[in-house]
């Protein structure tokens, strides 16, 4: 799945990605942007890493730079039981890749995958209200704020056109 911005591509997870994913989930500066930070043991992470790849409702990818094949993040769509909607999640784990357009490119690619490959009609996501850069990216990719939750988050969505 190559980005039209040609800066990143999405690929299926490979075993060597596990260490980066483990480091990201255990980095409070990275993790607090997407969820509450809670340290994860190596054993728990390895179990998750294996199971997530076998879950038919989870379409998870590594975000990789095209210029040097560097793993910089992860993204996924988890399809709902109706198979017509799904939740988008993204994490740029490498801080030197923040604010460089890779998140926008990944959201565009994953959204395209959700609509064109998974044939979803509706994609939604949740983001912290104070994560202004993420909200900006999602709006740039066509997502709209539809509701505010009591957990300091907003729900955004995009309908297939």
């Amino acid at each position: 799945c190559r980005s039209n911005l040609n800066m990143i591509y999405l690929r299926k997870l490979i075993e060597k990605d596990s260490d980066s994913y483990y480091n990201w989930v255990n980095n409070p500066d990275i993790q607090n942007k997407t969820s509450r930070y809670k340290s994860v043991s190596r054993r728990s992470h390895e179990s998750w890493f294996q199971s997530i790849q076998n879950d038919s409702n989870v379409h998870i990818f590594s975000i990789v730079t095209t210029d040097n094949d560097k793993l910089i993040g992860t993204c996924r769509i988890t399809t709902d039981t109706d198979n017509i909607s799904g939740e988008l999640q993204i994490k740029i784990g490498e801080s030197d890749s923040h604010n460089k357009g890779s998140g926008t490119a990944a959201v565009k690619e994953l959204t395209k995958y959700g609509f064109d490959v998974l044939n979803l009609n509706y994609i939604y996501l949740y983001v912290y209200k104070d994560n202004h850069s993420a909200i900006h990216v999602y709006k740039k990719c066509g997502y709209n704020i539809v509701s505010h939750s009591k957990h300091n988050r907003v729900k955004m969505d995009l309908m297939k056109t």
Side-chain angles (χ1 to χ4, degrees):
C1 200
R2 295 278 172 175
S3 168
N4 58 354
L5 299 178
N6 292 324
M7 64 179 12
I8 58 99
Y9 65 96
L10 307 182
R11 68 158 163 72
K12 292 288 186 186
L13 277 61
I14 56 176
E15 195 61 39
K16 73 178 186 174
D17 294 345
S18 182
D19 285 339
S20 292
Y21 280 49
Y22 176 75
N23 291 334
W24 298 334
V25 78
N26 282 300
N27 180 334
D29 292 334
I30 300 296
Q31 196 61 22
N32 283 333
K33 292 180 188 220
T34 58
S35 62
R36 288 189 179 169
Y37 173 73
K38 181 182 175 190
S39 181
V40 175
S41 72
R42 177 62 81 169
R43 176 183 280 179
S44 177
H45 169 75
E46 288 173 359
S47 175
W48 170 86
F49 192 80
Q50 294 307 313
S51 68
I52 197 82
Q53 295 176 76
N54 297 319
D55 187 331
S56 62
N57 289 355
V58 178
H59 306 271
I60 187 167
F61 300 94
S62 288
I63 304 168
V64 182
T65 60
T66 54
D67 59 349
N68 60 4
D69 281 327
K70 178 183 175 187
L71 173 64
I72 61 166
T74 178
C75 60
R76 69 181 178 187
I77 290 180
T78 304
T79 55
D80 294 338
T81 53
D82 60 13
N83 283 323
I84 60 170
S85 61
E87 180 179 359
L88 181 142
Q89 295 177 320
I90 178 172
K91 180 182 301 174
I92 302 298
E94 295 299 321
S95 56
D96 63 348
S97 295
H98 291 179
N99 301 313
K100 294 188 176 171
S102 53
T104 301
V107 170
K108 286 181 178 181
E109 285 296 320
L110 191 58
T111 299
K112 183 175 176 7
Y113 178 85
F115 289 143
D116 296 350
V117 177
L118 300 177
N119 203 28
L120 299 176
N121 292 328
Y122 169 76
I123 299 173
Y124 62 93
L125 59 94
Y126 296 93
V127 60
Y128 284 120
K129 291 177 189 177
D130 61 356
N131 192 342
H132 302 291
S133 59
I135 291 171
H136 175 76
V137 165
Y138 297 134
K139 284 182 173 181
K140 191 166 31 169
C141 293
Y143 287 81
N144 297 298
I145 295 175
V146 293
S147 66
H148 297 264
S149 80
K150 59 186 172 193
H151 302 292
N152 198 32
R153 293 165 40 147
V154 295
K155 181 178 183 180
M156 300 181 76
D157 73 3
L158 182 63
M159 300 292 288
K160 187 175 189 176
T161 56

